[in-house]
Amino acid sequence: MSTIAKDNTAEAEQNIKLDSKIPEGPLEEKWENYKGSMNLVAPNNKRHLEVIVVGTGLAGSSAAASLAELGYKVKAYTFHDSPRRAHSIAAQGGINAAKNYQNDGDSVYRLFYDTIKGGDYRSREANTYRLAEVSANIIDQCVAQGVPFAREYGGLLANRSFGGVQVSRTFYARGQTGQQLLIGAYSALSRQVSSGQVELFTRHEVLDIVIIDGKARGIIVRNLITGEIERHSAHAVVLATGGYGNVFYLSTNAMGCNVTAAWRAVQRGAYMANPCYTQIHPTCIPVSGSYQSKLTLMSESLRNDGRVWVPKKKEDVEAIRSKQKSPNDIPEEDRDYYLERRYPAFGNLVPRDVASRAAKQACDRGYGVNATGLAVFLDFNAAIERYGKAAAHQHGIHNPDASTIRKYGVEVIEQKYGNLFEMYEKITGDDPYRTPMMIYPAVHYTMGGLWVDYNLQTNVDGLFALGECNFSDHGANRLGASALMQGLADGYFVIPYTIGQFLSQEIQTPPIPNDTPEFLKAEKEVNERIDRLMDINGEVSVDTFHRELGHIMWEYCGMARNREGLLKGRAMIRELRDRYWKEVYIPGDRNEFNPELEKALRVADFMEMGELMILDALDREESAGGHFREEYQTEDGEALRRDEEYAYVSAWEWDEEEPELHKEKLVFENVELKVRSYK
């Protein structure tokens, strides 16, 4: 066993606050034994216990449906008009599970190891192994719900590869996997809504968490249609509100994605863990102008068949930028397939952080292929030819000409990725069947989130966090197709058990009244915050401030960070916050449908969250996964971890002037910490 972190009295005292509650025993037996020995709530008692679930994406919908199925009274909240609009629908490529249908050597342990390694050894072994262990159950659950996974010719569910692994374990429904999985979870939720076990509140946004005697007992919400502030109580609160990627303004997240519910929890005492770990996705449509408010993700599944390259010659780069040459005019010998060259073992399927930095490095050297110099090619010509020859052979054509090969090859690619290719063409005007896609990295997913223990409970009793909202499973980098896996694992197979550890102590607690002093005080503070914003009556739009915040974050806390830039970025955010509370303009009235007020509240929280992200990046003087400190890299530009000093979870307690850092040591008993290599 190797425990890697500083060991002193101060840190020992800190760790008392961070009891991860990991069960004893061998790794492969922890979850099964824990389920068999944990506290239970009898069915007759569940009927008297209420649970609030905030968010109705994969984690929230599956949790609300599962808890209601068990007999708890559930209240579910979404700021959308329907749970089906949750951002989970945007996940395109697939969901991982260790079923080994391909007979290519996969196993629960291999999925666990790939996830630990992919996260650069900065996640808990126990949580990650549990995720791998329940992954197979997720697929069975979703098939039973009717999710239309792709199938092989013989009828078995199909799998494809994703970055960071050498097996095929990703289940998919063309490029609509997230949407199809959410429809399944939404169906389960709708069943419980119709039975009365779930009370669904649409167009409601959480603006505060109510703590009574150290326990989360409710929320303060704003009705987004009427503007009314409401108090809602329960015995426990579950947050499943996604990530905070929109702190960068430009990201692949839906425009409504925000950090407010989680940040309100932080303001009430919950710890924010590893906030600097932000995933940059390598396969996005590049920025085309300052008018953009979001970026479009092209699924990582495309890297199964697409080859990433830039020209070797600067004159070819210039010719492509000026449209004097097409990428198809560049001969093979003059193309640099840099991922295949630098990482021969994994090639184009290296993890996202590795592929993203490699693209940035190519563009920083002047080889970017669009007008801004911030794009590389993703080319499918080789795959079209390969599939075309095979398909022609299946049709009895053993010496096909080029047009026949292309015809059949395009048909195969269309079957696998058709909706993604169509989306790309609609956005860019280019036909990716004929001309390589242009891609560039963009902010996509946040591995940081609320600190939770093995039960998915934060350091605040009765407050739980699921899915992307918590930090627990992915370390410093998320492997592709693992977000859907975690969201559904947490909602369907973890929280239904672990919430009982808390609620079993609440069976004699009567319904929580929503007019206690704590509720009234929280409501008053929400109203005062809204009034303060509305009374500023400045001249600068919310979007202008958000765009400026995003520029600071991308420039100084984006794909590469350094101490000087981080210090500058923090000072700039502080100055921006001061201006925001003096100059922001919010049209309309607070007591009505007012999207600008919604944005204003969210951006105020993003500014504080952005500062904490910078502080975390300053503290972590190493490079790991999505956190790349320029001062800490190998001679060939790879991330340089410092395990002796930084093998810990950073859990931040918020303070307006100087947040306090708590450290949870990471203990590795089943994997060896070593340099992460994909070469």
Side-chain angles (χ1 to χ4, degrees):
M1 180 183 80
S2 60
T3 304
I4 303 178
K6 298 175 184 176
D7 188 13
N8 54 47
T9 303
E11 288 193 1
E13 291 175 356
Q14 286 180 340
N15 290 337
I16 293 173
K17 290 186 175 183
L18 293 175
D19 180 6
S20 59
K21 297 184 174 66
I22 296 173
E24 298 294 331
L27 183 67
E28 63 276 7
E29 297 177 10
K30 287 182 187 293
W31 178 235
E32 198 63 33
N33 291 342
Y34 189 52
K35 286 192 299 181
S37 61
M38 64 173 53
N39 296 334
L40 298 177
V41 180
N44 58 307
N45 288 323
K46 287 174 181 166
R47 293 194 293 269
H48 305 296
L49 295 172
E50 291 186 305
V51 180
I52 283 172
V53 178
V54 183
T56 56
L58 285 178
S61 285
S62 59
S66 299
L67 293 172
E69 183 76 35
L70 287 173
Y72 295 109
K73 296 168 65 176
V74 178
K75 291 185 277 193
Y77 299 79
T78 175
F79 60 70
H80 297 291
D81 58 350
S82 165
R84 285 186 61 179
R85 294 193 183 275
H87 187 59
S88 299
I89 67 166
Q92 300 163 333
I95 176 171
N96 289 331
K99 279 191 171 287
N100 195 31
Y101 280 173
Q102 307 302 306
N103 199 29
D104 57 0
D106 201 10
S107 65
V108 169
Y109 182 84
R110 192 176 294 276
L111 175 51
F112 155 73
Y113 178 77
D114 287 343
T115 307
I116 287 279
K117 176 185 175 183
D120 226 343
Y121 305 95
R122 290 294 177 264
S123 54
R124 285 195 201 123
E125 282 191 340
N127 287 66
T128 306
Y129 191 88
R130 178 175 63 186
L131 176 65
E133 188 177 358
V134 304
S135 65
N137 297 337
I138 297 170
I139 304 304
D140 297 338
Q141 170 89 3
C142 294
V143 169
Q145 291 173 336
V147 173
F149 287 120
R151 293 182 180 269
E152 301 285 7
Y153 177 76
L156 289 177
L157 299 183
N159 290 127
R160 57 190 177 199
S161 297
F162 256 59
V165 303
Q166 292 179 307
V167 298
S168 295
R169 66 163 65 104
T170 303
F171 296 78
Y172 62 97
R174 294 192 75 188
Q176 307 169 355
T177 312
Q179 179 176 343
Q180 298 300 331
L181 292 172
L182 185 60
I183 289 172
Y186 171 67
S187 299
L189 175 61
S190 296
R191 177 173 178 268
Q192 298 302 323
V193 171
S194 67
S195 72
Q197 280 297 111
V198 173
E199 186 177 3
L200 179 63
F201 295 83
T202 60
R203 304 298 289 158
H204 281 68
E205 181 161 27
V206 173
L207 298 183
D208 211 344
I209 310 295
V210 180
I211 311 295
I212 300 177
D213 296 331
K215 298 178 181 180
R217 294 302 200 189
I219 55 177
I220 306 296
V221 299
R222 180 172 181 266
N223 183 316
L224 299 182
I225 303 299
T226 66
E228 182 182 0
I229 303 301
E230 303 172 4
R231 305 184 300 269
H232 295 266
S233 64
H235 293 88
V237 176
V238 177
L239 299 183
T241 52
Y244 47 86
N246 275 352
V247 70
F248 290 88
Y249 186 68
L250 285 179
S251 79
T252 67
N253 292 179
M255 289 299 294
C257 294
N258 65 84
V259 75
T260 290
W263 191 248
R264 293 295 102 200
V266 171
Q267 300 279 13
R268 294 298 181 185
Y271 295 164
M272 181 62 73
N274 295 341
C276 78
Y277 288 156
T278 304
Q279 181 168 82
I280 313 295
H281 197 295
T283 317
C284 300
I285 297 178
V287 176
S288 58
S290 60
Y291 55 83
Q292 281 185 266
S293 57
K294 79 175 301 293
L295 297 172
T296 303
L297 169 70
M298 301 306 296
S299 170
E300 183 178 329
S301 63
L302 295 173
R303 288 198 283 143
N304 272 290
D305 290 309
R307 301 178 71 193
V308 180
W309 66 276
V310 293
K312 291 180 179 179
K313 300 176 181 177
K314 287 285 182 68
E315 55 265 35
D316 286 338
V317 173
E318 293 301 326
I320 290 172
R321 288 181 184 176
S322 62
K323 300 190 182 302
Q324 295 176 9
K325 280 187 177 182
S326 161
N328 294 327
D329 295 331
I330 309 301
E332 280 290 309
E333 61 269 20
D334 290 336
R335 300 181 178 191
D336 179 14
Y337 294 96
Y338 57 84
L339 292 178
E340 298 172 32
R341 170 175 55 82
R342 293 178 58 180
Y343 308 101
F346 283 75
N348 296 295
L349 286 174
V350 292
R352 292 174 177 178
D353 60 322
V354 176
S356 294
R357 279 197 297 275
K360 180 181 187 298
Q361 291 165 358
C363 293
D364 287 349
R365 295 197 311 269
Y367 291 92
V369 294
N370 67 351
T372 65
L374 298 176
V376 298
F377 288 127
L378 184 63
D379 195 329
F380 291 86
N381 278 325
I384 289 173
E385 183 173 351
R386 183 176 70 252
Y387 287 129
K389 287 180 179 178
H393 191 83
Q394 290 171 355
H395 284 79
I397 306 172
H398 302 301
N399 293 297
D401 57 22
S403 63
T404 301
I405 291 172
R406 178 162 190 83
K407 171 179 174 293
Y408 285 123
V410 166
E411 288 178 359
V412 175
I413 293 293
E414 187 175 13
Q415 289 172 3
K416 297 181 73 172
Y417 311 112
N419 61 313
L420 299 173
F421 275 53
E422 181 182 348
M423 180 172 68
Y424 181 88
E425 184 172 7
K426 283 185 176 180
I427 292 172
T428 67
D430 291 331
D431 180 0
Y433 292 106
R434 298 192 175 278
T435 305
M437 290 181 180
M438 288 188 185
I439 58 170
Y440 193 70
V443 171
H444 178 56
Y445 186 91
T446 52
M447 285 75 66
L450 293 174
W451 183 90
V452 292
D453 61 19
Y454 193 71
N455 294 325
L456 304 184
Q457 183 174 240
T458 70
N459 57 294
V460 176
D461 284 348
L463 180 63
F464 297 80
L466 314 184
E468 191 179 0
C469 186
N470 74 36
F471 86 99
S472 67
D473 295 346
H474 306 301
N477 174 61
R478 177 177 69 86
L479 291 182
S482 289
L484 303 184
M485 176 174 60
Q486 186 206 348
L488 292 180
D490 287 355
Y492 281 138
F493 298 108
V494 179
I495 195 65
Y497 286 97
T498 61
I499 200 170
Q501 288 290 86
F502 173 77
L503 291 177
S504 63
Q505 309 302 314
E506 301 293 324
I507 58 176
Q508 293 185 331
T509 303
I512 308 296
N514 67 359
D515 58 355
T516 66
E518 293 86 352
F519 270 96
L520 297 176
K521 182 174 184 289
E523 181 184 31
K524 180 174 180 289
E525 290 174 355
V526 166
N527 281 314
E528 289 173 347
R529 183 177 176 84
I530 292 174
D531 288 339
R532 183 183 170 197
L533 275 169
M534 296 298 298
D535 290 344
I536 294 171
N537 202 27
E539 298 180 348
V540 183
S541 71
V542 176
D543 281 341
T544 298
F545 279 106
H546 194 180
R547 188 179 291 110
E548 189 171 344
L549 171 65
H551 177 76
I552 295 169
M553 293 300 299
W554 180 254
E555 189 70 22
Y556 302 110
C557 197
M559 269 198 282
R561 300 103 183 252
N562 59 61
R563 180 173 178 79
E564 180 182 359
L566 289 166
L567 290 171
K568 182 178 180 181
R570 186 187 185 192
M572 293 175 72
I573 288 178
R574 289 228 150 189
E575 187 272 335
L576 186 68
R577 282 171 60 191
D578 289 342
R579 284 199 290 115
Y580 185 78
W581 288 97
K582 296 174 184 176
E583 301 175 10
V584 72
Y585 170 64
I586 305 169
D589 188 82
R590 60 164 292 168
N591 298 312
E592 63 181 7
F593 176 70
N594 191 340
E596 290 302 306
L597 175 57
E598 296 170 34
K599 288 193 290 186
L601 290 163
R602 296 167 185 169
V603 171
D605 294 328
F606 275 140
M607 289 187 183
E608 294 178 350
M609 181 69 196
E611 181 179 353
L612 190 63
M613 292 168 69
I614 286 177
L615 278 175
D616 192 37
L618 271 168
D619 168 76
R620 194 166 285 277
E621 295 183 340
E622 66 166 354
S623 291
H627 168 62
F628 191 77
R629 281 286 294 265
E630 293 176 340
E631 304 97 322
Y632 304 97
Q633 55 182 298
T634 63
E635 291 183 359
D636 53 354
E638 303 295 341
L640 181 63
R641 291 197 328 266
R642 300 174 63 199
D643 293 332
E644 292 296 331
E645 293 85 5
Y646 291 98
Y648 60 74
V649 175
S650 301
W652 292 88
E653 182 178 358
W654 177 249
D655 178 86
E656 181 67 28
E657 294 303 320
E658 207 61 42
E660 182 180 355
L661 173 62
H662 304 278
K663 300 175 182 179
E664 178 199 340
K665 296 178 182 179
L666 290 171
V667 179
F668 295 95
E669 299 174 308
N670 298 274
V671 297
E672 177 188 358
L673 276 77
K674 54 188 177 182
V675 175
R676 189 172 58 132
S677 175
Y678 295 94
K679 296 182 177 182

